[in-house]
Amino acid sequence: MAVFTTRTLTLQRLSKLFEKRFISVSKTLSKDMTVRDAINGAIDEEIERDDRVFLIGEEVAQYDGAYKVSRGLWKKHGDRRVVDTPITEMGFAGLAIGAAMAGLRPICEFMTFNFSMQAIDQVINSAGKTLYMSAGMVNVPIVFRGPNGCSSGVAAQHSQCYGAWYSHCPGLKVVAPYSCEDCRGLLKSAIRDPDPVVCLENEIIYNSTFSVSDTALSKNFLIPFGKAKIEIPGKHCTLTSYGRAMEATLLGAHELKKQGIECEVINLRSLRPLDIETIHKSVSKTHHLVSVEQGWPQCGIGAEILACIMESEVFYQLDQPAQRLTGVDVPIPYAIELEKISIPQPKDVVEMVKKLLKK
Amino acid sequence: MLPSCVRSVCKKAIPNKKALGILTKNNYATEATFETKPYRLHKLEESPSTTVTLTKEDALKYYEQLHTIRRMETSAGNLYKEKIIRGFCHLYSGQEAVAVGIKAALRPHDAVITAYRAHGWTYLMGVTPEGVLCELTGRQHGCSRGKGGSMHMYCNNFYGGNGIVGAQIPLGAGIALAAKYKGTDGVCVSLYGDGASNQGQAFEAYNIAKLLDIPAIFVCENNGYGMGTSAERSSANTAFYTRGDYVPGIWVDGMDVLAVREAARYAVNHCSTGKGPILLECATYRYSGHSMSDPGTSYRTRDEIQEVRQTRDPITSFKEKITSTNLVANDEIKKIESEIRQIVDEATKKAKSDKEIGLDELTADICSEFLEGSVRNIDVFSPLPHKNIGPAVNK
């Protein structure tokens, strides 16, 4: 099972460097917070706002969350609204979906999305398809959330991206927040959404600190699904990414900027709906595209983006073939150096962009 | 089994000279009492009553329901043989008393979820035979507009129709949790077979339901076979009413609608008074194969099926009970049967002649708030618009 994992020093340094220099939030910075607290606050406010909303999952109540995301919520809201379950993903996911079918608004936490595979039938077949099968009668307003993707030092079974898995399925909406602002806005939208939403967080980012604008601190701050965010505007190459891969993407973009190459960095935010329009516009401007993700290459998010470009007129805007940076096509290894080279690093972004631009 | 009639009593005041248990108005009883087979109990002190009373009104209602399901399923079987019903088609014939008995114990705010053998339950929960049969033929007047088919039918307080063996068990626990959460005394009945009872998620659901004291009634319809594997070959413990371990359980003769009703009433009372979940095992039998593609004779004998039909049929035995006690006259039975025949025949006709929904509904109701602009078609050049047609009751 998962254990609480702290960041490596390297990541801490990268993160701090990143926070100080590159974060693009609105100018009226009002509060610094960790991603963990941003998620906690969003859940807290939504539980308060709507009596139908409750948090359910393993260790979410008395333990304060396996990754401390739900710290204090059980003490504040009690047994009815914050519900510990046994370690039986299929059972409690099914239970939460049933409650949603009957009118509640559960937030179903998977300790990590790796364990959601135990419950994937319920997520796809029960949550994702019931509205269609019932000809629009029974919608299933539920959020599945938890840490997704590569962690640190936990080996293959606990390090995997489910972006492609879930966004493959019609009937599900899939979001992948990166910053605090993303987490607050996307999670609140997810909880208020009348359909099943998969919210893919990342354990490593939970500790990262971001500045959050006044606007984003509002209790009604909602980020619409299907709208990507241009984190950094640029004219030479478009970089698309999501979740924790945003770190390497942004750091790579910064390094390139020092070398005079301006990348337009797109934070996808939502994987389904996927904001292809924003990517199209950007590629029409930069004429180059690199997608960056930590998930595997085959049938991945990058594969989808590239296929969408290939199928559109925007294809003719490309000066070079669009490229994917993905996790290496292997189960994630435990050994630290192997683990490191199995997911895209900033230098991979730098090298790929320079290669495309022939610099 | 043909449970014996103990006595017939008059509901209304009757002249003294007419003793209890003898006939009343128009020479027919208005109420009768019967003895059921004993129940088997697991972690329960008190048993449901083995003496059950039936009013004439209820007798007529149950007979109508039992017979409608049988007739509807016969028609479904024929439509399948005519290749008008496609894909999977699992018939309920033989098991009717389970659904009718449980439904009789439910209150309007109680909910039900079942597996893929869903036609009978869909009808009992409020969909007309036409709504069921049109769904089976995939037509527009089907209760899911033809988009769900045999295994996916829904209506108020009825959550399907789930095609994944055992998946409905935790879902039902969740529906029951919602009732408790909202502060009603509602319960949810989750039905599954002896085959599904071995799924891990069944045990996960029992466990959570017990821990959270959820008003969930788990009903194992033991029809003897999970597809073609007999209960003895699939289950190390075939006393399914004990399989919930810490969840109390009752074995009931699932071929006796009145015994099922009595056990279900007991279960509803147990759950709605905050005692947590309970498990019912209804011993029943399915006449048809697992689905229409299964002749159902390689793993059991024709003699076995015939024997059940002749000695334990839930409808024949109920008819015998209510007519032999003069609760219902043979003429009334004939009248009901003829009315049902007409209703089902008309529904069948409609199910054959009704149109399918428009092709534009291919992309309806994927999400209740669809955010993708349009739906990708087979190619990228002709995207399809999404539309919402159903009421999306949880918006």
Side-chain angles (χ1 to χ4, degrees):
Chain A
M1 294 301 290
V3 289
F4 184 77
T5 314
T6 49
R7 298 171 305 172
T8 63
L9 274 176
T10 320
L11 273 163
Q12 269 176 354
R13 263 186 246 121
L14 285 177
S15 183
K16 274 183 188 157
L17 181 76
F18 170 74
E19 286 148 27
K20 280 183 191 157
R21 296 183 187 174
F22 321 117
I23 195 159
S24 59
V25 291
S26 72
K27 283 176 187 170
T28 51
L29 299 179
S30 66
K31 196 178 175 184
D32 283 356
M33 66 166 74
T34 63
V35 165
R36 174 179 290 107
D37 290 341
I39 298 169
N40 179 290
I43 296 171
D44 183 21
E45 288 164 20
E46 293 304 301
I47 286 179
E48 211 152 67
R49 175 180 171 270
D50 183 346
D51 187 61
R52 299 170 300 174
V53 175
F54 66 102
L55 178 65
I56 184 167
E58 293 155 359
E59 309 295 357
V60 297
Q62 298 196 15
Y63 193 87
D64 273 339
Y67 296 96
K68 306 302 168 196
V69 165
S70 55
R71 181 179 283 149
L73 297 182
W74 174 66
K75 280 205 177 108
K76 183 171 176 188
H77 299 288
D79 288 333
R80 181 167 170 267
R81 313 296 297 282
V82 183
V83 184
D84 272 335
T85 69
I87 306 168
T88 54
E89 281 78 11
M90 201 174 203
F92 75 73
L95 180 97
I97 294 163
M101 286 174 168
L104 301 186
R105 301 251 162 166
I107 304 166
C108 176
E109 176 174 310
F110 289 119
M111 191 183 290
T112 82
F113 263 93
N114 301 286
F115 314 142
S116 80
M117 270 200 288
Q118 296 256 21
I120 200 165
D121 168 67
Q122 290 288 7
V123 176
I124 294 171
N125 272 322
S126 298
K129 296 181 186 170
T130 296
L131 182 77
Y132 190 86
M133 295 192 299
S134 67
M137 187 186 296
V138 185
N139 57 310
V140 186
I142 186 169
V143 178
F144 302 101
R145 54 154 289 276
N148 169 64
C150 297
S151 181
S152 180
V154 294
Q157 291 182 336
H158 290 69
S159 273
Q160 184 172 333
C161 177
Y162 287 85
W165 289 62
Y166 288 113
S167 70
H168 183 65
C169 308
L172 296 179
K173 298 169 183 174
V174 183
V175 296
Y178 163 58
S179 67
C180 287
E181 195 175 303
D182 288 357
C183 284
R184 270 186 72 75
L186 290 172
L187 189 51
K188 278 169 167 280
S189 292
I191 297 166
R192 297 185 194 187
D193 196 278
D195 298 309
V197 181
V198 174
C199 183
L200 304 169
E201 300 159 6
N202 189 286
E203 174 202 335
I204 304 291
I205 301 181
Y206 281 160
N207 275 344
S208 299
T209 303
F210 291 84
S211 296
V212 184
S213 68
D214 273 344
T215 318
L217 284 171
S218 154
K219 285 191 175 178
N220 286 315
F221 176 66
L222 303 174
I223 294 177
F225 294 169
K227 298 281 174 221
K229 181 188 177 194
I230 297 174
E231 294 280 356
I232 301 175
K235 57 187 177 190
H236 296 127
C237 182
T238 299
L239 300 175
T240 63
S241 188
Y242 64 92
R244 195 181 141 222
M246 282 297 299
E247 274 183 357
T249 311
L250 286 163
L251 288 166
H254 175 69
E255 180 56 36
L256 286 161
K257 194 175 181 187
K258 282 198 254 176
Q259 299 177 30
I261 298 168
E262 292 175 28
C263 292
E264 179 144 297
V265 178
I266 298 177
N267 172 4
L268 294 173
R269 282 185 162 172
S270 96
L271 305 180
R272 188 181 190 113
L274 188 61
D275 186 1
I276 274 297
E277 203 182 321
T278 295
I279 301 171
H280 280 178
K281 274 187 195 154
S282 180
V283 172
S284 300
K285 184 171 72 175
T286 65
H287 309 292
H288 296 88
L289 171 66
V290 177
S291 87
V292 188
E293 69 190 299
Q294 295 190 335
W296 289 314
Q298 184 152 331
C299 306
I301 300 299
E304 177 63 21
I305 291 171
L306 265 63
C308 287
I309 294 289
M310 189 78 171
E311 284 178 333
S312 77
E313 296 287 318
V314 180
F315 172 69
Y316 298 111
Q317 296 287 339
L318 286 171
D319 287 347
Q320 292 290 331
Q323 294 293 332
R324 291 177 288 166
L325 292 172
T326 67
V328 180
D329 211 2
V330 294
I332 297 279
Y334 169 70
I336 190 164
E337 289 305 318
L338 294 185
E339 182 191 84
K340 200 171 156 189
I341 61 166
S342 63
I343 52 172
Q345 302 297 323
K347 70 169 180 51
D348 299 311
V349 177
V350 172
E351 282 167 17
M352 178 56 79
V353 172
K354 286 171 81 173
K355 194 172 187 172
L356 277 189
L357 297 172
K358 302 197 188 310
K359 301 252 171 151
Chain B
M1 185 193 73
L2 294 176
S4 59
C5 159
V6 177
R7 62 198 169 103
S8 304
V9 292
C10 304
K11 203 174 188 180
K12 294 170 188 171
I14 50 168
N16 287 340
K17 62 180 178 184
K18 291 191 177 176
L20 281 178
I22 311 188
L23 316 175
T24 177
K25 199 177 172 187
N26 299 331
N27 284 342
Y28 285 100
T30 53
E31 198 169 283
T33 303
F34 303 91
E35 202 61 24
T36 71
K37 265 190 192 172
Y39 307 90
R40 293 176 209 153
L41 303 181
H42 172 67
K43 301 220 162 141
L44 286 171
E45 300 281 310
E46 252 180 78
S47 165
S49 173
T50 50
T51 306
V52 293
T53 305
L54 177 67
T55 65
K56 180 182 171 91
E57 191 188 339
D58 283 342
L60 291 169
K61 183 162 97 183
Y62 304 158
Y63 190 76
E64 183 188 329
Q65 291 176 334
L66 291 164
H67 194 73
T68 302
I69 297 174
R70 179 71 57 91
R71 190 91 204 165
M72 211 169 64
E73 293 294 57
T74 305
S75 182
N78 292 335
L79 287 167
Y80 187 91
K81 285 173 198 152
E82 291 172 51
K83 299 195 191 301
I84 299 170
I85 292 176
R86 311 168 59 234
F88 295 127
C89 183
H90 310 91
L91 303 183
Y92 204 50
S93 302
Q95 302 181 216
E96 298 92 341
V98 178
V100 174
I102 292 172
K103 176 69 173 91
L106 297 183
R107 301 147 310 164
H109 57 290
D110 293 326
V112 174
I113 186 166
T114 187
Y116 45 79
R117 209 175 295 284
H119 314 161
W121 267 110
T122 308
Y123 152 73
L124 287 176
M125 293 302 284
V127 175
T128 60
E130 181 182 303
V132 173
L133 289 172
C134 287
E135 188 57 37
L136 290 174
T137 56
R139 310 301 166 93
Q140 64 178 352
H141 287 92
C143 55
S144 299
R145 301 181 64 75
K147 290 172 81 174
S150 169
M151 300 181 287
H152 308 296
M153 307 186 189
Y154 309 80
C155 63
N156 187 34
N157 284 333
F158 180 58
Y159 294 88
N162 194 306
I164 306 297
V165 176
Q168 75 279 13
I169 308 172
L171 291 173
I175 294 160
L177 171 72
K180 182 179 174 177
Y181 189 99
K182 291 173 190 166
T184 76
D185 72 340
V187 305
C188 181
V189 177
S190 314
L191 299 109
Y192 53 93
D194 44 296
S197 75
N198 296 309
Q199 282 280 11
Q201 56 185 325
F203 300 96
E204 297 187 19
Y206 301 155
N207 185 43
I208 304 181
K210 184 67 184 174
L211 289 169
L212 300 180
D213 268 338
I214 291 173
I217 303 177
F218 300 110
V219 178
C220 175
E221 291 187 83
N222 177 8
N223 65 18
Y225 300 89
M227 288 191 73
T229 304
S230 68
E232 291 72 23
R233 291 174 61 227
S234 72
S235 308
N237 173 6
T238 55
F240 294 99
Y241 67 107
T242 67
R243 296 279 296 268
D245 188 0
Y246 33 76
V247 176
I250 302 172
W251 177 95
V252 55
D253 175 9
M255 302 302 256
D256 178 355
V257 65
L258 299 178
V260 174
R261 184 189 67 175
E262 201 61 28
R265 278 179 178 164
Y266 183 101
V268 169
N269 181 56
H270 179 93
C271 285
S272 61
T273 52
K275 297 192 183 86
I278 192 165
L279 204 159
L280 299 187
E281 175 188 350
C282 298
T284 183
Y285 197 80
R286 103 171 115 70
Y287 293 150
S288 306
H290 162 72
S291 70
M292 286 302 295
S293 59
D294 165 28
T297 48
S298 65
Y299 50 89
R300 58 182 186 179
T301 61
R302 286 181 201 280
D303 288 348
E304 178 185 300
I305 305 166
Q306 271 315 104
E307 204 242 325
V308 179
R309 274 191 190 274
Q310 281 160 13
T311 61
R312 294 201 293 139
D313 183 78
I315 302 181
T316 311
S317 63
F318 185 67
K319 181 158 70 175
E320 165 69 18
K321 263 184 219 168
I322 59 178
T323 53
S324 67
T325 52
N326 289 329
L327 200 56
V328 175
N330 280 320
D331 285 353
E332 290 174 292
I333 294 280
K334 275 183 194 150
K335 188 165 167 262
I336 291 174
E337 288 179 354
S338 135
E339 280 167 7
I340 290 169
R341 184 183 308 126
Q342 201 182 340
I343 289 168
V344 174
D345 284 354
E346 276 170 22
T348 307
K349 224 182 274 174
K350 177 84 176 180
K352 286 180 178 177
S353 62
D354 196 20
K355 284 182 187 163
E356 284 194 14
I357 48 174
L359 297 182
D360 58 323
E361 285 198 41
L362 171 67
T363 50
D365 294 314
I366 299 167
C367 292
S368 66
E369 270 180 30
F370 190 72
L371 304 170
E372 295 183 41
S374 60
V375 182
R376 190 195 151 96
N377 206 334
I378 286 171
D379 66 41
V380 77
F381 301 112
S382 46
L384 300 164
H386 182 270
K387 54 170 83 173
N388 285 106
I389 291 173
V393 294
N394 298 315
K395 270 190 94 169

